[in-house]
Amino acid sequence: METFPTKEGEVAFSIPGLDKPCKTWYKIVGDLSTSDTTSPRVPLVVLHGGPGAGHDYLLPLADLVTKYSTPVIFYDQIGNGRSTHLPETKGDESFWREALFIRELDNLIDHFGLRTDGFHLFGQSWGGMMGSSYASSQPKGLRRLVLANSPASVELWVSSIQKLRTQLPEDVQKVIDEAEKTGNTGSPEHLEAVGVFYQKHLCRVKPWPAPEVEAALPWLTDDTTVYGTM
């Protein structure tokens, strides 16, 4: 069985107005270097969802290395997963904005020197929303944008979520509504109720959760700074 190099590391990321040193954690599967200058390996940069889920559930994309020799760059967005967490900014909507994550993405791309030979972007859910906004600025080096399960309109997405919630048992709806009203969204009762929603509308694989989804869920609950604020 053929194996491919895997590299993990961190990239320094400076945030204006923030004294705390921050780092973006990344994982590269495959080889970014090439000896054939006429056919460079163009990597896929993966933007995870949430915001707050971390990259883990998207690791099956590493199969692209085996099938197409496409290097894949996974990373945890700031405040997520293994990157720097900033719990002191929880609730600060002026801090947690799309522009912050786009600056971080640019910083990562420049760190790996991807502007010349180019890169592809894969965005899932929130990652696709960010990727769409990023692509609209026509950044140098971007060759292809792939969107997966990403809403084009937040207003329509929220409306659809509300409709899906009405399909839940009434007692489950009541727990979710009450938790959102009181702000107690981290209670065991609320998490259990949300789990019912996830099993019905997020991932229907049995047994639940699928290993990939199970890897992402703790990041959303252990530190709710990003997800809770945005």
Side-chain angles (χ1 to χ4, degrees), residues 3-14:
T3 59
F4 295 90
T6 299
K7 178 182 179 181
E8 298 181 4
E10 296 176 327
V11 178
F13 176 48
S14 177

Side-chain angles (χ1 to χ4, degrees), residues 111-132:
H111 174 80
F112 290 118
L114 304 180
R115 300 292 182 187
T116 302
D117 292 331
F119 58 94
H120 307 305
L121 272 185
F122 175 97
Q124 193 276 331
S125 189
W126 145 255
M129 297 167 66
M130 179 176 68
S132 297

